[in-house]
Amino acid sequence: STEEQESLLQACKESRNKQLHDIVVLLLSTAARKNEILGLRWGDVDFDRRVIIFKKTKNKKLRALPIRDRAETILKERSKIRRLDTDLVFPGPYRHGKETKPTNIQSAWDWAVERANLQDFRLHDTRHTAASALAKAGATLPELAALLGHRQLSMVQRYAHFCEGYGGELVERMNTALFEKKEGADDERQVN
């Protein structure tokens, strides 16, 4: 719910991990997978086109996702204070002479979920929350599949009931094709 989301985001702000809030906002704003956001590099953020590009995805396909509003603001703010020792957007601690790994947010996440008083809510559930919101906002199943990086529409069928008027527009177009021409033809006969 909206209240639970607000409670979770507030708890993320209060976390010791100062990156957690930004990560969760990006997860909710993009419907991306956790590893896609944690592995995000500055070279994959295109502010001119307003997209982030995921090169390492679960299905091994390059995917670009739009960034808008809060997600875009967060990334622009982070870009002003980025670390010079790594290209990671969400780097873990500095490791002298070794490649920096992405931040580890699991314990901070668990703390935030408990603090927000949420039951059985996993990090991956942010993806389902975002996908449901996209469907409610009018995304079609093919659009959902593309944004979520699913190859098959069957993977997004679980969100079909959220799609506003799912199937309704299709049925209206079918009725238009079937009956309006016929009714128009009947009208023409009556005029003649």
Side-chain angles (χ1 to χ4, degrees):
S1 70
T2 303
E3 295 79 22
E4 289 172 323
Q5 181 177 310
E6 288 173 10
S7 180
L8 175 64
L9 289 173
Q10 182 58 41
C12 290
K13 279 184 184 177
E14 296 168 5
S15 169
R16 283 191 217 160
N17 185 325
K18 297 305 173 200
Q19 299 184 86
L20 181 63
H21 176 264
D22 292 354
I23 291 167
V24 173
V25 168
L26 281 174
L27 289 168
L28 289 167
S29 299
T30 63
R33 293 178 178 92
K34 174 186 82 168
N35 289 336
E36 292 171 336
I37 293 296
L38 293 180
L40 187 63
R41 297 185 175 274
W42 285 113
D44 301 331
V45 178
D46 186 336
F47 288 116
D48 292 333
R49 291 180 38 223
R50 299 174 72 196
V51 297
I52 50 180
I53 298 138
F54 297 119
K55 295 176 182 167
K56 294 182 179 181
T57 62
K58 184 178 177 183
N59 66 15
K60 312 275 190 270
K61 292 247 181 191
L62 186 79
R63 189 167 95 254
L65 288 178
I67 51 171
R68 301 293 188 273
D69 305 320
R70 290 174 80 179
E72 184 176 23
T73 300
I74 282 171
L75 288 171
K76 284 183 176 179
E77 290 300 314
R78 291 189 69 79
S79 73
K80 294 175 186 174
I81 55 167
R82 60 190 264 197
R83 283 184 20 198
L84 300 177
D85 65 311
T86 180
D87 192 33
L88 287 167
V89 175
F90 298 105
Y94 175 72
R95 300 170 36 176
H96 184 71
K98 296 182 180 178
E99 182 180 349
T100 302
K101 293 183 178 182
T103 188
N104 183 337
I105 60 167
Q106 192 59 54
S107 62
W109 169 259
D110 292 341
W111 179 88
V113 167
E114 186 176 320
R115 175 98 171 170
N117 209 14
L118 299 178
Q119 303 300 313
D120 195 32
F121 193 75
R122 300 166 299 134
L123 195 55
H124 190 72
D125 294 334
T126 59
R127 185 166 158 83
H128 298 299
T129 301
S132 298
L134 283 166
K136 289 175 186 176
T140 64
L141 292 181
E143 288 170 329
L144 278 174
L147 286 169
L148 295 173
H150 291 302
R151 292 181 187 178
Q152 300 168 344
L153 287 180
S154 62
M155 297 296 292
V156 294
Q157 284 295 329
R158 69 171 68 186
Y159 306 110
H161 66 285
F162 287 123
C163 292
E164 176 121 357
Y166 177 65
E169 287 182 27
L170 181 60
V171 171
E172 284 179 29
R173 289 196 311 263
M174 175 197 61
N175 279 293
T176 298
L178 285 173
F179 300 112
E180 283 191 20
K181 289 180 184 174
K182 188 176 181 181
E183 288 172 8
D186 290 343
D187 291 344
E188 285 179 23
R189 274 187 250 138
Q190 290 176 357
V191 171
N192 292 335

